[in-house]
């Protein structure tokens, strides 16, 4: 399974943008970059995914480096409800169905 | 509520006892997954069903663990002769996998404590 590296923790203030980085230097051409987050005492939830181009949805934006060796999840205006552990996961098209979670980044949002 | 549901939410058992957990996926989802999560770690994949067929099993799934999904609907995960190391949160997820990636929708989990 392709490996990702994320900082253990990050801190942000409410209503400010948050940029959560992920390194995936061994990514292959058929690997999609997925982000999930896990709020306290809940199961993980899907946030966004992409292959090469930047992606936006109602929850977040995903910026993918041109060489695809890194990506950044962007929360445009953090709220207290965004405090969670954020996981960056690579999924291979046509590969295993399983999600391979690392330890993720614990995001703290200060009021 | 049409999300993934899991029962029970909490289970305390003594070492050596058998336990069974149930997962009800989102009704039209054909894929169902079990994961295990210990404190401070991300979830670890255990097994995956497409309809009633169990298609992938992790090496973490020892012979004390068995999972079923009769008729491709709900699923059960049984742990026989529980050990203290089995204490964890057991998460179920489901997805609609037709082509490409189906995002996985997770339930709230069953927290198992083995004393």
């Amino acid at each position: 399974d392709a490996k990702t590296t994320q900082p253990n923790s990050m801190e942000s203030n409410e209503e400010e943008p948050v940029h959560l980085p992920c390194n995936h230097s061994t990514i292959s051409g058929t690997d999609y970059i997925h982000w999930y987050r896990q709020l306290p005492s809940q199961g993980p939830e899907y946030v966004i995914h992409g292959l090469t181009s930047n992606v936006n949805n109602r929850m977040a934006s995903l910026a993918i480096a041109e060489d695809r060796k890194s990506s950044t999840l962007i929360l445009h205006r953090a709220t207290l409800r965004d405090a969670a552990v954020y996981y960056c996961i690579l999924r291979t098209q046509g590969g295993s169905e399983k999600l391979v979670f690392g330890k993720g980044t614990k995001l703290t949002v200060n009021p | 509520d049409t999300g993934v549901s899991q029962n029970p939410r909490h289970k305390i058992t003594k070492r050596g006892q058998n336990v069974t957990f149930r997962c009800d996926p989102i009704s039209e989802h054909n894929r169902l997954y079990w994961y295990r999560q210990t404190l401070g770690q991300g979830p670890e994949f255990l097994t995956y069903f497409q309809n009633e067929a169990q298609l992938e099993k992790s090496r973490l799934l020892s012979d004390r663990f068995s999972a079923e999904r009769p008729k491709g609907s709900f699923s059960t995960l049984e742990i026989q002769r529980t050990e203290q190391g089995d204490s964890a949160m057991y998460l179920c997820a489901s997805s609609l996998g037709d082509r490409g990636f189906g995002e996985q929708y997770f339930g709230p989990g069953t927290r198992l404590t083995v004393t």
Side-chain angles (χ1 to χ4, degrees):
Chain A
D1 298 313
K3 198 173 167 67
T4 62
T5 306
Q6 300 177 252
N8 290 335
S9 62
M10 290 186 66
E11 217 167 308
S12 171
N13 295 320
E14 205 175 3
E15 298 190 6
E16 289 184 357
V18 182
H19 290 233
L20 296 161
C22 180
N23 287 321
H24 28 78
S25 57
T26 59
I27 192 169
S28 74
T30 53
D31 286 338
Y32 283 72
I33 302 155
H34 287 242
W35 285 80
Y36 279 74
R37 72 179 184 181
Q38 188 170 21
L39 302 171
S41 302
Q42 295 189 25
E45 64 175 345
Y46 167 82
V47 178
I48 200 166
H49 78 274
L51 181 64
T52 56
S53 304
N54 295 345
V55 185
N56 301 297
N57 67 19
R58 62 174 181 81
M59 288 180 73
S61 296
L62 176 59
I64 301 172
E66 201 167 328
D67 64 4
R68 303 213 319 127
K69 292 184 186 299
S70 66
S71 60
T72 303
L73 181 71
I74 303 165
L75 307 179
H76 296 284
R77 289 179 73 233
T79 69
L80 296 177
R81 201 195 167 275
D82 291 321
V85 179
Y86 287 78
Y87 298 99
C88 171
I89 298 168
L90 299 184
R91 297 189 73 186
T92 303
Q93 183 71 40
S96 170
E97 282 295 314
K98 67 185 179 189
L99 295 173
V100 179
F101 292 84
K103 289 191 175 181
T105 297
K106 182 175 182 180
L107 175 66
T108 301
V109 180
N110 300 313
Chain B
D1 184 10
T2 56
V4 177
S5 62
Q6 294 186 246
N7 288 288
R9 294 293 307 278
H10 302 274
K11 178 72 177 178
I12 300 173
T13 191
K14 293 188 174 172
R15 191 176 53 189
Q17 298 293 304
N18 299 344
V19 293
T20 300
F21 310 140
R22 177 178 170 126
C23 171
D24 287 273
I26 294 171
S27 60
E28 66 269 24
H29 284 185
N30 58 344
R31 293 179 176 172
L32 187 146
Y33 313 80
W34 286 98
Y35 293 83
R36 180 174 71 184
Q37 185 172 27
T38 53
L39 207 58
Q41 305 295 317
E44 296 171 293
F45 171 79
L46 292 178
T47 191
Y48 142 66
F49 290 84
Q50 179 154 313
N51 300 312
E52 66 274 10
Q54 189 173 18
L55 295 187
E56 190 173 351
K57 289 168 66 171
S58 162
R59 283 170 292 188
L60 291 174
L61 213 65
S62 75
D63 55 8
R64 295 185 298 105
F65 288 70
S66 63
E68 292 183 342
R69 192 182 182 200
K71 300 179 185 176
S73 55
F74 69 93
S75 176
T76 58
L77 178 68
E78 181 183 17
I79 309 174
Q80 296 183 327
R81 305 181 303 281
T82 52
E83 301 172 357
Q84 286 189 320
D86 297 331
S87 295
M89 177 74 82
Y90 289 83
L91 293 161
C92 175
S94 70
S95 74
L96 183 60
D98 43 10
R99 53 183 179 276
F101 295 110
E103 71 181 78
Q104 294 185 19
Y105 293 80
F106 283 80
T110 294
R111 180 165 294 286
L112 173 66
T113 303
V114 181
T115 62

